Amino acid sequence: MIKLLKKSSFEIFFKNLQTQGKTIYAPKNNGKKIEFSKIDNFADIVFDYIKSNQSTKEIVFPRYHKVFRYTKQADDTVVLQDFSADSVPETVVIGQRPCDAVGILALKAIFETDIADKPFTARFNKTSFITISCTKSDENCFCTSSGLNPGSTEGSDILLTPIENGDYYAEILTEKGTKILEANASLFEDSPEIDKNKYLAKVEVRFDNKIIHEKLNTIFDHETWVEQSLQCIGCGACAYVCPACACFDILDEDNGRSGFRYKCWDSCGFGNFTIHTSGHNPREVQSQRWRQRIYHKFSYMPKREHVFGCVGCGRCTDVCPVNMNIMEHLQTINAL
Amino acid sequence: MEELRNRAKQLLEAKTVDVVIGYGETLNNKIKAVFIRKPEDAVKLVYDERCTQNLGVYLTKHEVKHFGKPAIVASVSTMRTVLQLCSEKQVKDDGVLVLGVTLEGKFLEFPTFKTVETFMEKGVQPIPAKDLELMAKIETMSLDERWAFWQEELQKCTKCYACRASCPMCYCNRCMVDYNQPQWISVPSTEIGNLEWHLMRAMHLAGRCVNCGECGRACPQEIPIHLLTFKASEEAQNQFGAVAGLSSTMPSTLSSWKPNDKENFIQ
């Protein structure tokens, strides 16, 4: 369904969502970076930005969260307190980019394959995504090489594309989106026929992710993995800003009588990520870890979960402390 | 720059070294580390104001060590790194050839670490004015304000460990934070977990940090964590008179002792 949301209606829309009891996340300037934060005041939302430093994945997949708690009673019986979906508030994300929306679909594919991850599903189901299309891009953006574009609708409940006068061309895409529309019906007007493409950022196509996918079937032992990763210092900066990286660690914190189990982000770039109890590490050196990163995103995920693990946001390149440029490496693979 | 390329080519042709660790171009006018192993690739080397990474971090990297003897394009911070790594028995004097670049941007080759030490007597790289300013500002804060300042900064930390990975002095095969039996510090990115990590990192670098500032540059959240290690170095210098990265033989500041220590508990 197509509607028009006037710029002048946005603040009322925001306040309505607050009144409707939603927790709202939107891009905010923290003094150094634009980050998605809980927003209480409409004025804090930054609309004129290209992409946030961290992706929106943290809203559905926090960097740290408790899975269950346990307490040993006086008679030594154990009381288990499982994760409860009730602890998750009804949430609306405003202003994420289309690539981030697709990133969350990639997480969904991972967390809901086989046994669904309860906390992820609870957060995903209770979150609505009002995405805003990109009218600007930067040098590290490559969504168009990843099968997407600055106005992709996948993963969004409502996609807003800025048009003349700061008004928004609104595409209502899902049931969640329809519910938001119905609760705020007076603010969404009928829209004239519009070609939204003319408002979108132009992002040059640099490679084809389907070719990369094919290539990876035959180049597992290629020398390029060592060559590309010599400069890699093995931190997790790329993984933590990536909207589609889903690796986590599971640990316990215990004080003898009670404790809890939690999940926290982890990265395949870390040296001890795959270390076995025996001490053996199947991915002993950085080149094997870098190869894993590329294979997971471009080979294993498309095969297993039918989605790519890279949406082309370019954040890994943005933050890499040693200027590894994923586009350069993917272009190299594309040309092998 | 031609001078550097020619010298690198010669060194590789004569097999004096097996790899030249230097800077090269990547996309978007950015610089990346390059590992030149063929004389004809020496033309890929560049050196200009964009070259800020401390390449010393690669001297202890498994795949790089595997190539054989390196020559390293070394800013003054990197030269200090090399000396400090040698004093910690991580590189050997005849194991690394230092292709130094002075603060004025002049190329100088150092045949031995002794010659690097002599060069260091002329002075080390200054701490950038911006950092000095922030350090001075933090000094004037009350304890409560300082606590609030670091809490505000450290809550942004996601524990990606870019600070650790980018630091040439963080070469441990297994970092203390990676132990889980026993688990010394809290693993996740939480208020306490972040605080413990950054305090521990600063303490482990006290008297060892060469003030290159790489950790702060690496941080994706722009947390000024390099100030913690700068401060720890300053304290180590004030307390023990030791400055890291000026000598290839200096014993470790915090794990060595002198009979004439000013405290009497040691006697």
Side-chain angles (χ1 to χ4, degrees):
Chain A
M1 199 189 315
I2 303 300
K3 290 281 176 184
L4 183 82
L5 178 67
K6 286 261 174 66
K7 185 185 180 185
S8 52
S9 304
F10 215 117
E11 186 166 355
I12 309 165
F13 179 40
F14 174 86
K15 286 184 175 154
N16 282 358
L17 290 170
Q18 278 184 318
T19 317
Q20 289 153 16
K22 311 285 187 192
T23 297
I24 300 171
Y25 283 87
K28 184 179 174 184
N29 189 335
N30 74 8
K32 289 177 184 165
K33 306 274 183 186
I34 304 293
E35 298 286 20
F36 274 78
S37 317
K38 265 186 203 160
I39 303 279
D40 296 322
N41 300 311
F42 180 75
D44 289 339
I45 303 180
V46 176
F47 286 96
D48 185 18
Y49 82 111
I50 295 179
K51 64 192 158 198
S52 52
N53 184 48
Q54 295 276 322
S55 77
T56 48
K57 83 171 166 191
E58 186 152 15
I59 299 163
V60 285
F61 173 41
R63 61 175 93 158
Y64 163 73
H65 57 279
K66 294 186 179 86
V67 189
F68 62 74
R69 293 171 174 279
Y70 51 90
T71 317
K72 211 171 189 182
Q73 306 297 102
D75 64 357
D76 279 358
T77 54
V78 175
V79 176
L80 197 67
Q81 200 187 343
D82 201 359
F83 170 84
S84 163
D86 296 339
S87 64
V88 179
E90 287 285 339
T91 302
V92 175
V93 176
I94 297 176
Q96 71 171 353
R97 296 308 183 194
C99 52
D100 277 1
V102 180
I104 286 170
L105 288 187
L107 297 182
K108 189 174 190 306
I110 291 171
F111 285 126
E112 294 188 350
T113 296
D114 302 331
I115 300 165
D117 179 283
K118 224 192 280 179
F120 177 86
T121 303
R123 290 193 176 91
F124 181 85
N125 288 345
K126 285 189 161 181
T127 306
S128 304
F129 297 98
I130 303 176
T131 308
I132 300 184
S133 303
C134 299
T135 53
K136 288 188 283 187
S137 63
D138 68 29
E139 60 190 13
N140 295 331
C141 291
F142 59 96
C143 59
T144 50
S145 308
S146 303
L148 306 171
N149 68 66
S152 287
T153 54
E154 298 96 312
S156 299
D157 297 305
I158 295 178
L159 178 67
L160 303 175
T161 301
I163 55 170
E164 280 87 7
N165 312 320
D167 296 340
Y168 295 94
Y169 174 78
E171 294 170 80
I172 319 300
L173 300 156
T174 63
E175 203 179 304
K176 279 192 237 171
T178 307
K179 277 193 185 146
I180 292 179
L181 172 73
E182 284 166 357
N184 300 278
S186 63
L187 300 174
F188 286 84
E189 303 169 17
D190 289 334
S191 171
E193 277 290 309
I194 281 176
D195 175 17
K196 77 172 184 184
N197 290 317
K198 69 174 180 181
Y199 300 98
L200 301 178
K202 303 284 172 278
V203 179
E204 198 190 322
V205 180
R206 318 280 193 122
F207 61 87
D208 182 344
N209 64 353
K210 293 186 187 62
I211 292 180
I212 306 265
H213 178 68
E214 284 301 310
K215 284 268 160 80
L216 292 179
N217 288 326
T218 57
I219 57 167
F220 193 78
D221 294 317
H222 201 282
E223 62 192 19
T224 195
W225 305 115
V226 175
E227 208 49 53
Q228 293 189 5
S229 63
L230 280 172
Q231 65 173 132
C232 177
I233 52 175
C235 72
C238 49
Y240 288 4
V241 296
C242 176
C245 268
C247 286
F248 57 83
D249 199 0
I250 298 180
L251 294 108
D252 286 352
E253 274 193 23
D254 187 297
N255 67 11
R257 301 295 298 181
S258 67
F260 56 87
R261 178 161 297 174
Y262 64 92
K263 280 183 181 176
C264 64
W265 289 355
D266 204 344
S267 163
C268 61
F270 292 142
N272 62 350
F273 181 74
T274 44
I275 204 159
H276 294 175
T277 313
S278 65
H280 169 65
N281 191 345
R283 294 202 283 268
E284 213 173 2
V285 289
Q286 206 58 36
S287 52
Q288 295 166 329
R289 298 171 205 136
W290 169 248
R291 177 176 63 191
Q292 164 64 20
R293 180 169 176 77
I294 300 294
Y295 266 79
H296 195 193
K297 292 183 173 304
F298 292 88
S299 181
Y300 310 147
M301 280 182 67
K303 280 180 188 162
R304 265 198 320 236
E305 283 104 14
H306 313 291
V307 288
F308 277 88
C310 172
V311 298
C313 69
R315 281 194 182 86
C316 48
T317 306
D318 294 340
V319 300
C320 180
V322 297
N323 290 344
M324 266 181 103
N325 189 313
I326 196 168
M327 203 143 62
E328 182 183 21
H329 294 318
L330 292 172
Q331 281 175 314
T332 305
I333 296 165
N334 196 73
L336 282 177
Chain B
M1 201 149 77
E2 271 318 299
E3 201 183 338
L4 175 67
R5 289 174 178 169
N6 291 338
R7 186 60 187 141
K9 186 163 180 262
Q10 274 174 7
L11 289 168
L12 290 166
E13 272 168 353
K15 300 199 189 313
T16 314
V17 299
D18 301 292
V19 56
V20 177
I21 307 172
Y23 302 97
E25 297 276 353
T26 177
L27 302 182
N28 303 323
N29 200 32
K30 296 273 170 57
I31 291 293
K32 64 173 180 182
V34 290
F35 303 83
I36 307 290
R37 282 145 287 156
K38 295 180 196 147
E40 63 270 26
D41 287 342
V43 291
K44 291 181 184 162
L45 288 168
V46 296
Y47 195 91
D48 56 37
E49 66 288 344
R50 295 171 300 160
C51 303
T52 50
Q53 192 194 349
N54 183 348
L55 299 178
V57 71
Y58 296 113
L59 290 173
T60 52
K61 181 170 169 167
H62 178 88
E63 289 97 323
V64 178
K65 286 207 285 199
H66 183 74
F67 290 137
K69 182 173 174 176
I72 185 164
V73 176
S75 64
V76 176
S77 332
T78 306
M79 288 188 238
R80 288 182 68 185
T81 302
V82 173
L83 292 182
Q84 186 62 25
L85 284 174
C86 182
S87 79
E88 297 183 14
K89 314 276 188 287
Q90 298 305 310
V91 298
K92 284 184 185 154
D93 194 352
D94 57 355
V96 182
L97 180 66
V98 176
L99 302 175
V101 188
T102 68
L103 294 173
E104 298 76 34
K106 240 184 85 196
F107 289 106
L108 266 186
E109 190 171 322
F110 295 93
T112 63
F113 288 177
K114 260 274 122 348
T115 56
V116 183
E117 288 176 4
T118 312
F119 175 78
M120 283 303 158
E121 287 165 13
K122 287 188 211 155
V124 297
Q125 82 283 9
I127 293 179
K130 196 176 82 176
D131 291 338
L132 287 175
E133 207 177 294
L134 186 52
M135 280 170 91
K137 190 176 148 199
I138 296 169
E139 296 282 350
T140 61
M141 290 178 185
S142 68
L143 277 183
D144 284 346
E145 287 167 339
R146 246 187 255 183
W147 177 252
F149 172 84
W150 284 110
Q151 284 293 302
E152 169 66 20
E153 288 291 346
L154 295 181
Q155 52 97 8
K156 296 171 197 156
C157 171
T158 59
K159 282 207 170 163
C160 71
Y161 296 119
C163 43
R164 176 180 73 181
S166 64
C167 174
M169 305 321 299
C170 275
Y171 50 73
C172 291
N173 283 332
R174 197 168 181 191
C175 175
M176 198 174 114
V177 293
D178 293 333
Y179 282 90
N180 53 7
Q181 286 181 337
Q183 182 185 298
W184 295 100
I185 72 165
S186 180
V187 174
S189 161
T190 59
E191 194 175 304
I192 188 77
N194 290 353
L195 185 71
E196 284 178 341
W197 158 241
H198 288 287
L199 285 179
M200 189 207 81
R201 197 184 76 85
M203 290 307 288
H204 280 195
L205 285 158
R208 302 175 56 237
C209 171
V210 297
N211 286 17
C212 68
E214 198 59 48
C215 48
R217 268 198 297 281
C219 178
Q221 309 290 352
E222 290 180 30
I223 306 169
I225 40 176
H226 55 299
L227 301 189
L228 296 173
T229 55
F230 284 7
K231 184 68 189 164
S233 315
E234 191 186 295
E235 286 301 322
Q237 183 175 2
N238 292 342
Q239 295 298 321
F240 309 106
V243 179
L246 300 184
S247 153
S248 60
T249 50
M250 182 180 83
S252 164
T253 308
L254 293 192
S255 52
S256 60
W257 59 280
K258 292 174 190 159
N260 59 349
D261 194 285
K262 66 179 177 185
E263 305 290 344
N264 60 16
F265 68 87
I266 203 90
Q267 287 149 11

